[in-house]
Amino acid sequence: ERGGNNSFTHEALTLKYKLDNQFELVFVVGFQKILTLTYVDKLIDDVHKEFRDKYRNEFQQKGTLGLLNGTFDFKDDFMRLLRDAEESSKVRAPTVMKTFEQSLKSQKTVKCMIETRGEKPKEKVKNKKNKGSKKEGVEAVAAPSKASAGDKQPSAAGEKEELTKDEILQKNREEFFKRHMKAGEKSRSPKPEAQKEKGKKPRVWDLGNSNAKVLDYSNSATNGSAEACPVEEFDPDIALGDRNREPGRLYDLEYESDDEAEEEKVIQNPSKPSMKKGGLGGMFGMLKGLVGSKSLTREDMDPVLEKMKDHLIAKNVAAEIAVQLCESVAKKLEGKVMGTFTTVTSTVKQALQEALVQILQPQRRVDVLRDVMDAQRHRRPYVVTFCGVNGVGKSTNLAKISFWLIENGFSVLIAACDTFRAGAVEQLRTHTRRLNALHPPESHGGRTMVQLYEKGYGKDAAGIAMEAISYARNQGFDVVLVDTAGRMQDNAPLMTALAKLIAVNAPDLVLFVGEALVGNEAVDQLVKFNKALADHSMAQTPRLIDGIVLTKFDTIDDKVGAAISMTYITSKPIVFVGTGQTYCDLRSLNAKAVVAALMKA
């Protein structure tokens, strides 16, 4: 699924590879990453052609067992190809600088370098001629009349040569600019005596208060206590949504594809005739476009891949990633021998679907419940940090994840590290009250299942997170969820602060919260977040994003391309999917459901 990138880096080594789908061969060349070898691509192409042509007949005749028992003597051929590639890429001798006699300047005469007053150089005249012909024609017609009217000093017939059109134009332009310069000097207003002071001044509102302490309603003396979040009475049906759900279970995303719906219709109406036309016409129509046991070429696939690429972009997949996906599918299928009753479109579509499923199922799976239980055995809290841009739903989905953890029997401490956004602490306090109302201490043996740790606004977020983790360890909390302020990926100071928070507190899981509405922006956000975390980290192996929370999934219908873009660019799994406004609207990613929605016409 990543065949478009034909190189792979592992520690100090770089591997470049090439696929031969016809004979199912992979050619790999490895070299030190520090070396810049310009002949690697040529070498791997030459080895591929030479090896394939030398043993083509054996591949076709002997079969699998014959190939396993046979020997391939290719060492001498390889050494010859390597020498040829090295020779072809040897650094050429530096070019010798030209002497003065060889340069264009030496060919010019002294006469052509002298400029007389009122006369224009030839090169400049040529440049003027290249300008818009329409404008020049209008000016050229108007210029002689102006020149004749304003000619106060007529010259004798033999004293001077007649002025050319270009010289007349230049003269008129100079007079025009002189007149306008004089008019501009007259109309220019005098400079203001008092200059404005540099720098911004804070706006003072009529009914506002300039004192930030008066506006801070958070109470730092009540951190970690159950009394700080009194039980709130409200309708639990509104907060929970589905009352028939299984408590603590994270349901998969559901999506019914068109293929399933069509299959159901066919089963319901089996008596319908399959071909409306005559026997031969229907048969020929069915066989139209089939590939008859031949190997696929790039020319066969290009029209289909172009349509697939446009389809992916229309479904919100980032344009760059759509191109790479189609390139990967082309490399995977090129040269592959097709069956008799197979169309190019169906083959390409099937390969693309398989690639998309593989992308959405990364190698490392994040199992939060298992990791929390492992942290419990070591008698320490499991720490999760949420980060992302502004307005994607970090606090809301943090509350949903808190509810899910509580239903699985884990106590949660929420660390309010968004000390910038107005109302951020109050929002988390409201969620804490509601979660305590849904899971009161009486239902859990007198144990408060969720608490809020906050220090108000304008404080250092990394320091608050550190204090919250220490408090959770002392009080026996199972999980610490760290809420951070939203920040744009281009804001260097805020990205540095986030990198500091992660480096200092070393959370077990760093989740990037992104919304499903974005397209190309998803790639930019994730790349720059990861780059900032790597650049501003002090450690040798910097801590990057571990997983993704995809929010607002209920707003996009079948335009689910952001899921592909995010997982492709980071190779990290989508751990949670937010699908609504209630605490139960949290799902795990179902790769096949997402791909079915993506491939829907």
Side-chain angles (χ1 to χ4, degrees), residues 290-320:
L290 297 182
V291 180
S293 295
K294 72 163 191 173
S295 57
L296 272 176
T297 63
R298 191 62 184 260
E299 288 74 24
D300 295 332
M301 293 184 286
D302 276 345
V304 182
L305 288 171
E306 190 64 29
K307 288 180 182 177
M308 289 289 180
K309 185 191 76 176
D310 295 341
H311 177 77
L312 291 174
I313 293 171
K315 294 283 186 173
N316 251 6
V317 178
E320 178 188 351

Side-chain angles (χ1 to χ4, degrees), residues 18 40 55 94 96 192 225 271 285 304 327 334 396 414 445 518 531 563 593:
K18 185 171 183 180
V40 170
Y55 295 104
V96 183
S225 65
S271 60
V304 182
E327 187 67 25
E334 192 172 2
T396 303
I414 299 173
V518 295
K531 186 175 184 299

Side-chain angles (χ1 to χ4, degrees), residues 12-28:
L13 285 178
T14 296
L15 302 177
K16 284 202 171 185
Y17 54 87
K18 185 171 183 180
L19 304 177
D20 187 328
N21 294 302
Q22 186 178 358
F23 296 109
E24 297 183 355
L25 297 173
V26 184
F27 296 86
V28 186

Side-chain angles (χ1 to χ4, degrees), residues 421-479:
R421 177 170 64 90
V425 176
E426 287 75 18
Q427 181 184 5
L428 291 176
R429 187 179 290 125
T430 302
H431 280 306
T432 308
R433 280 203 302 267
R434 293 204 160 193
L435 290 169
N436 275 321
L438 292 168
H439 286 276
E442 296 80 32
S443 304
H444 297 274
R447 183 187 183 193
T448 304
M449 296 304 289
V450 57
Q451 290 183 18
L452 177 67
Y453 190 94
E454 49 93 359
K455 288 288 185 183
Y457 295 97
K459 311 293 192 304
D460 178 36
I464 295 173
M466 183 181 286
E467 291 175 20
I469 294 167
S470 176
Y471 179 84
R473 188 181 290 109
N474 295 333
Q475 297 296 320
F477 281 94
D478 299 320
V479 184

Side-chain angles (χ1 to χ4, degrees), residues 276-294:
K276 292 181 181 179
K277 296 181 182 179
L280 287 174
M283 181 62 71
F284 284 124
M286 186 180 70
L287 294 175
K288 189 179 178 182
L290 297 182
V291 180
S293 295
K294 72 163 191 173

